[in-house]
Amino acid sequence: MSVIGKIGFLGGGNMAKALAKGFLAAGKLISNKLLPLEGLKCTRFAGLAKPSTLIASVHPADKLSLQSFQSLGVETVIHNAPVVEKSDVVFISVKPQVVPSVLSEIESISAGKLFLSVAMGITLPTLESNLSPQARVIRVMPNLPAVVRSGCSVFVRGTRANNSDAEITQKLLQSVGTCEAVDESQLDVVTALSGSGPAYVFVMIEALADGAVQMGMPRDLAYRLASQTVLGAGHMVRDSGLHPGQLKDGVTSPAGSTAAALRQLELSGFRAAVSGAVEQATLRCRQISGKNA
């Protein structure tokens, strides 16, 4: 079993905070002898992370992120070098436009470290060519629900990353949700689907609740019912193995209320709007990474 060691975060944004909180939550579940995610063994996450095994660099102007990490008991610094020097695994979690300057800053101290980059559109060749030849790199794309250990993550190994590095990456990401290996050519689509996807679902939950409120339901109840409905439907698609259309038909009675609602969705271009959102997000990712559509 590969040892993770100390985990560092270059940048203290939303994804870094979500992962840190998720890693710490996984460790607390073990220490309290509670069950982790369904289908995963307790021993898998034993000793995964505690505040003393995390460190993050946060821009001094980002008071909110600084306070958030400090509230977790995590060591915070304002410079990137201490994070790399003290860590075995380093998450590159700064904004894409900042990555080149960060890599330039840490290149001389990057040898022997495992870097996990969550930076959108920054390719493996770019990352590897701007770090020490002895640094190992893996691109990862988690999503925000990692904060509640329901994340959806993928990863791509760099040319120097070994099996132990992949095992560490899987162990970390599976502690906060699901994790799959993919080809780097799929990462822009992954970013558009599961990376940005929670935002689309949040809008859908808000719209469902708005409709219920318009028809007389209290808003707090509407949010609870809408969010649980989305959660349950997602579980059914994931776990049943049935086509979503087949599950949809199981809810839809002839001339019933669901049939009327689905007709309204079709007339409003619901499918095209959602699939178009994924397409536009993918194109934007490709634009950032310098690819052609």
Side-chain angles (χ1 to χ4, degrees):
M1 181 65 69
S2 300
V3 177
I4 294 175
K6 188 150 186 159
I7 303 168
F9 294 92
L10 298 175
N14 289 336
M15 187 54 65
K17 288 184 286 188
L19 290 172
K21 289 178 181 178
F23 296 155
L24 292 174
K28 288 179 181 178
L29 286 171
I30 293 305
S31 63
N32 293 332
K33 301 185 184 300
L34 297 178
L35 290 176
L37 290 175
E38 181 181 345
L40 298 176
K41 297 179 180 178
C42 285
T43 54
R44 188 179 193 98
F45 308 131
L48 176 71
K50 52 187 177 181
S52 61
T53 63
L54 302 181
I55 181 173
S57 59
V58 181
H59 194 282
D62 189 356
K63 303 296 186 183
L64 185 61
S65 293
L66 184 64
Q67 292 171 0
S68 180
F69 272 100
Q70 290 176 339
S71 70
L72 297 173
V74 174
E75 180 183 1
T76 56
V77 294
I78 61 173
H79 298 292
N80 293 317
V83 173
V84 177
E85 291 169 343
K86 293 184 178 183
S87 301
D88 302 289
V89 180
V90 181
F91 279 87
I92 301 174
S93 48
V94 295
K95 295 183 183 301
Q97 61 268 29
V98 182
V99 170
S101 62
V102 170
L103 296 181
S104 176
E105 179 184 348
I106 65 172
E107 187 274 336
S108 63
I109 56 173
S110 62
K113 308 291 184 176
L114 172 59
F115 290 88
L116 304 184
S117 174
V118 303
M120 179 182 68
I122 308 299
T123 64
L124 285 170
T126 297
L127 293 163
E128 291 181 332
S129 64
N130 286 279
L131 291 170
S132 166
Q134 285 74 49
R136 294 108 59 212
V137 180
I138 292 180
R139 281 187 71 185
V140 299
M141 179 47 62
N143 66 3
L144 195 58
V147 71
V148 291
R149 302 187 66 242
S150 294
C152 176
S153 304
V154 302
F155 72 96
V156 184
R157 287 169 58 166
T159 58
R160 294 187 290 270
N162 55 42
N163 290 338
S164 177
D165 297 329
E167 184 180 337
I168 287 172
T169 302
Q170 287 182 298
K171 185 175 182 180
L172 285 169
L173 297 179
Q174 286 179 344
S175 76
V176 293
T178 64
C179 175
E180 298 188 41
V182 300
D183 186 81
E184 189 170 24
S185 64
Q186 294 295 310
L187 275 187
D188 290 332
V189 184
V190 168
T191 302
L193 175 59
S194 57
S196 301
Y200 317 153
V201 177
F202 295 150
V203 171
M204 181 178 177
I205 290 172
E206 185 178 33
L208 286 169
D210 284 346
V213 170
Q214 184 176 351
M215 301 311 295
M217 182 180 289
R219 184 165 290 277
D220 57 345
L221 176 60
Y223 282 141
R224 291 198 301 272
L225 294 182
S227 59
Q228 184 60 36
T229 297
V230 170
L231 180 64
H235 273 300
M236 290 186 70
V237 173
R238 185 192 66 184
D239 299 339
S240 70
L242 298 176
H243 189 283
Q246 187 175 352
L247 293 170
K248 174 206 68 179
D249 290 346
V251 184
T252 310
S253 301
S257 60
T258 305
L262 291 173
R263 182 172 184 273
Q264 179 61 38
L265 289 176
E266 296 293 353
L267 290 174
S268 301
F270 179 75
R271 289 176 185 267
V274 175
S275 62
V278 176
E279 179 182 355
Q280 288 300 310
T282 303
L283 293 175
R284 177 57 178 154
C285 291
R286 289 174 177 170
Q287 183 183 44
I288 291 173
S289 60
K291 298 178 182 177
N292 293 319

